[in-house]
Amino acid sequence: MRQSFMEWLKGTVEVELRGGQIAQFLNQATRDKLELFNIRWSGSQCVRFEISVEQYFLLRKYVRASGGKIKVMSKKGFPFLLSIMEKRLWFTIGIGIFFTVIFLLSSLVWSIDIAGNKRIPNDVILAAAKTEGLYRYQWSFRLQDTDVLSKKLVNSIPGTTWIGVEKVGTKVNIQVVESTNPDARELNSPRHLVASNDAVITYIIAEQGKPLVRKNNRVKKGDMLISGIIGSEAHSDIVVAKGTVKGLVWYEYEVSAPLTQKYRVLTGERQSRSYIVLGNRALQISGFNQEPYEKSETVTTTDMLTIGNFSLPIGKMKELEQEAAFEQRELTTEQAREESLQQARLRILAHAGEEAEIVSEIVLHEATENGKVIMKVLYEVNQSITKEQPIVHMQGD
């Protein structure tokens, strides 16, 4: 049985009672409301139990009446810890001073890192931050909330659109996004628009240039769709062809999906452990007596104490262990078939573009082999089919 915090604070004694009328002792002590806990027999004439320090001194009359003998086996709790500390006074004081110094050092801002600024000097950002109470060797508890500080820095530093402030241990990171004027767009070179795929035209709008195809025309890859040369042969001009041309394109895919799927999931059960890190050693300070999970994922975070740009070999570490399990799902042939088709659709849309639209889906072949559903599918897709082709214009032509 684990000792509660209040029991630890009061202090407990583990006692062994040998001989005499043990049952009489237990019955009488219980009737008089003595709090005996963690009672266990270690033999026919021997019993062990735990009792608080304050009630331990009441045991004598019950032991005498039972005719047995008691022996103290162990002592636990805060009063006995104090006794040990009194015997090692200077060591205890040194430990206390050490952890006090560590706590104070870790409560200061030792360094401020600035990133993302190109035109705005670091000195300007540091000066604005100091005005808002953020500077080296400032106490962490005196800092404003990072969101509030971010907004104030944006308002006080011209030429910024966003500033992020993040405190990591004893370091503060300032991420700056400077406002930019959009660059003047370069003039596009003269060009034609040609077909990127074999297709049947479904839609064409020429914003600039001369359209050379119509709806329902069949084109091959590389055929010119909108010409960048306008006018007659005698009076022609070269422009940047612009427009939208869509067409029906055909894709053939072979996809498969297993009928049995196994995947890893987190059960939601978790437990954490904390450590004090000293050099390459870690001293556990919480999370004792935990039973490890049969399968788990552990995420470890470490926060080391830094002074300026130097990282001290002192810090804290936390381990978060999450229970994991493997689950198996059995699919019907129809479910595996739909999963295969969904894979194909995603691959097509990723290749053809977000504006592409699947017009038809035809299964050419379907089979079940080695626990998988394998399919060959033909897709008809309505998509943009334009790509640019520069116009090479020779002087004197």
Side-chain angles (χ1 to χ4, degrees):
M1 185 173 112
R2 290 188 63 183
Q3 191 179 30
S4 70
F5 176 73
M6 290 304 298
E7 290 168 355
W8 179 85
L9 200 61
K10 293 179 181 178
T12 59
V13 180
E14 184 181 10
V15 177
E16 182 180 79
L17 174 63
R18 284 184 174 272
Q21 302 296 322
I22 295 178
Q24 176 187 329
F25 167 82
L26 293 175
N27 291 333
Q28 187 62 43
T30 304
R31 269 197 302 270
D32 291 349
K33 298 184 178 180
L34 288 185
E35 295 181 3
L36 309 182
F37 53 93
N38 204 11
I39 301 172
R40 57 204 183 277
W41 291 89
S42 55
S44 59
Q45 290 295 315
C46 182
V47 67
R48 287 190 181 187
F49 57 88
E50 294 182 21
I51 188 170
S52 65
V53 172
E54 60 184 353
Q55 291 193 346
Y56 169 75
F57 297 101
L58 303 176
L59 286 179
R60 183 170 300 177
K61 66 176 183 179
Y62 300 98
V63 174
R64 189 183 301 116
S66 70
K69 294 183 179 181
I70 62 172
K71 180 181 178 181
V72 175
M73 305 303 295
S74 65
K75 304 173 183 178
K76 307 173 186 176
F78 185 65
F80 303 107
L81 179 61
L82 283 179
S83 177
I84 295 173
M85 292 172 65
E86 286 178 2
K87 295 177 182 178
R88 301 179 181 179
L89 179 61
W90 290 109
F91 176 78
T92 303
I93 292 174
I95 290 292
I97 292 174
F98 172 77
F99 282 105
T100 300
V101 170
I102 293 298
F103 173 76
L104 292 175
L105 290 176
S106 63
S107 298
L108 291 172
V109 175
W110 286 99
S111 65
I112 300 175
D113 288 351
I114 301 173
N117 57 316
K118 296 181 180 179
R119 300 190 310 273
I120 304 173
N122 284 357
D123 292 343
V124 172
I125 298 171
L126 290 173
K130 187 172 184 179
T131 303
E132 301 300 334
L134 171 59
Y135 50 87
R136 289 183 66 189
Y137 312 125
Q138 168 68 293
W139 294 106
S140 297
F141 58 81
R142 297 188 63 182
L143 296 178
Q144 303 177 62
D145 184 78
T146 53
D147 290 338
V148 175
L149 192 54
S150 297
K151 293 176 182 177
K152 289 186 175 180
L153 289 178
V154 170
N155 293 332
S156 61
I157 303 176
T160 59
T161 56
W162 180 82
I163 294 179
V165 179
E166 179 187 22
K167 185 178 182 301
V168 182
T170 59
K171 181 170 68 174
V172 174
N173 297 321
I174 299 178
Q175 182 69 38
V176 180
V177 176
E178 298 177 336
S179 57
T180 57
N181 296 322
D183 296 331
R185 295 185 62 184
E186 295 182 4
L187 293 175
N188 291 318
S189 301
R191 68 187 182 196
H192 301 301
L193 292 182
V194 299
S196 58
N197 301 80
D198 295 351
V200 172
I201 304 298
T202 59
Y203 178 85
I204 179 168
I205 289 292
E207 299 176 21
Q208 190 167 281
K210 182 179 179 180
L212 301 181
V213 294
R214 295 181 180 180
K215 185 178 178 180
N216 296 326
N217 285 169
R218 180 178 291 273
V219 296
K220 292 186 174 296
K221 182 178 180 179
D223 287 352
M224 193 176 300
L225 304 175
I226 301 176
S227 173
I229 301 175
I230 59 175
S232 63
E233 292 185 3
H235 302 88
S236 63
D237 194 9
I238 298 176
V239 299
V240 177
K242 294 181 182 179
T244 303
V245 183
K246 291 185 177 181
L248 294 177
V249 182
W250 290 267
Y251 295 94
E252 188 176 298
Y253 278 96
E254 184 173 297
V255 290
S256 64
L259 293 171
T260 301
Q261 296 182 348
K262 183 181 286 188
Y263 52 97
R264 189 182 181 97
V265 296
L266 297 178
T267 65
E269 294 294 327
R270 58 177 60 192
Q271 55 191 15
S272 62
R273 297 175 289 274
S274 298
Y275 301 82
I276 292 177
V277 179
L278 300 172
N280 59 355
R281 296 180 179 273
L283 175 65
Q284 187 172 353
I285 58 176
S286 72
F288 298 99
N289 301 324
Q290 293 178 348
E291 290 293 331
Y293 299 125
E294 184 178 349
K295 294 182 178 66
S296 64
E297 292 183 4
T298 301
V299 179
T300 303
T301 55
T302 305
D303 185 11
M304 303 301 290
L305 184 63
T306 58
I307 299 179
N309 294 325
F310 297 97
S311 180
L312 298 179
I314 303 171
K316 58 184 179 181
M317 180 176 71
K318 183 176 181 180
E319 287 182 345
L320 178 62
E321 183 182 9
Q322 303 179 84
E323 186 181 31
F326 284 102
E327 292 187 0
Q328 187 166 292
R329 185 174 61 144
E330 300 292 336
L331 300 183
T332 64
T333 302
E334 185 59 34
Q335 288 174 328
R337 182 178 188 274
E338 181 56 35
E339 192 163 301
S340 297
L341 293 175
Q342 186 61 26
Q343 288 179 28
R345 293 173 196 138
L346 293 174
R347 287 165 63 181
I348 286 171
L349 295 178
H351 174 75
E354 294 181 358
E355 296 183 0
E357 178 186 3
I358 297 175
V359 176
S360 66
E361 178 180 84
I362 302 172
V363 177
L364 302 177
H365 175 73
E366 180 178 347
T368 302
E369 299 176 6
N370 300 321
K372 292 183 179 181
V373 173
I374 302 172
M375 305 176 69
K376 184 177 288 185
V377 190
L378 178 67
Y379 283 96
E380 188 177 44
V381 182
N382 189 27
Q383 66 176 73
S384 172
I385 59 168
T386 59
K387 69 175 182 179
E388 299 176 0
Q389 183 183 81
I391 298 175
V392 179
H393 178 61
M394 303 297 292
Q395 291 183 352
D397 287 357

